[in-house]
Amino acid sequence: QVQLVESGGGLVLPGASLRLSCVASGRTFTNYGMAWFRQAPGKEREFVAGISWGGRSTAYVDSVKGRFTISRDNAKNTVYLQMNSLKPEDTAVYYCAAFRREYYNAYGAPRGDKDWGQGTQVTVSS
């Protein structure tokens, strides 16, 4: 099992930026694809962005394309989510997920079981 710890959430104004970080431990980081999911109050958890084990391929949900960027630093066992032009509808708890690298999906959410972090709250409000 991979242990994941997210950070970087907060309360921001519409149009602002935030960068989330997720540090992984417990397994060889490059054996895993990584992803960010989010869950808003009263809604199901949804896929936001994914990245392949080497970082060369990324996938995004349509609602964040052009605003969010996922990246990873394998030397630091860390995955990031840069969020720009934030909107109130981006308000949610954001979760980092790790999954076996062969389950990476270049067109959307990864398949298979995932290890999850504890989540970090992002609130976009004026």
Side-chain angles (χ1 to χ4, degrees), residues 35-85:
W36 289 94
F37 288 72
R38 66 186 179 187
Q39 187 166 18
K43 295 187 177 182
E44 294 186 354
R45 190 172 298 189
E46 68 166 349
F47 169 77
V48 176
I51 189 166
S52 62
W53 71 271
R56 294 181 180 177
S57 178
T58 58
Y60 299 92
V61 68
D62 285 347
S63 60
V64 307
K65 285 181 180 177
R67 299 190 299 123
F68 290 12
T69 302
I70 188 171
S71 62
R72 64 190 292 165
D73 185 337
N74 287 343
K76 296 182 178 179
N77 287 3
T78 302
V79 62
Y80 304 97
L81 185 67
Q82 178 67 44
M83 304 186 294
N84 298 330
S85 302

Side-chain angles (χ1 to χ4, degrees), residues 10-30:
L11 171 63
V12 297
L13 294 170
S17 297
L18 276 177
R19 189 176 80 155
L20 305 183
S21 300
C22 172
V23 180
S25 62
R27 291 289 188 270
T28 301
F29 190 55
T30 51

Side-chain angles (χ1 to χ4, degrees), residues 3-9 19-24 34-38 45 78-79 81 93-98 115-122:
Q3 287 76 49
L4 302 168
V5 178
E6 302 101 331
S7 61
R19 189 176 80 155
L20 305 183
S21 300
C22 172
V23 180
M34 300 295 295
W36 289 94
F37 288 72
R38 66 186 179 187
R45 190 172 298 189
T78 302
V79 62
L81 185 67
V93 178
Y94 283 70
Y95 296 91
C96 177
D115 294 322
W116 298 94
Q118 82 287 351
T120 186
Q121 177 70 48
V122 172

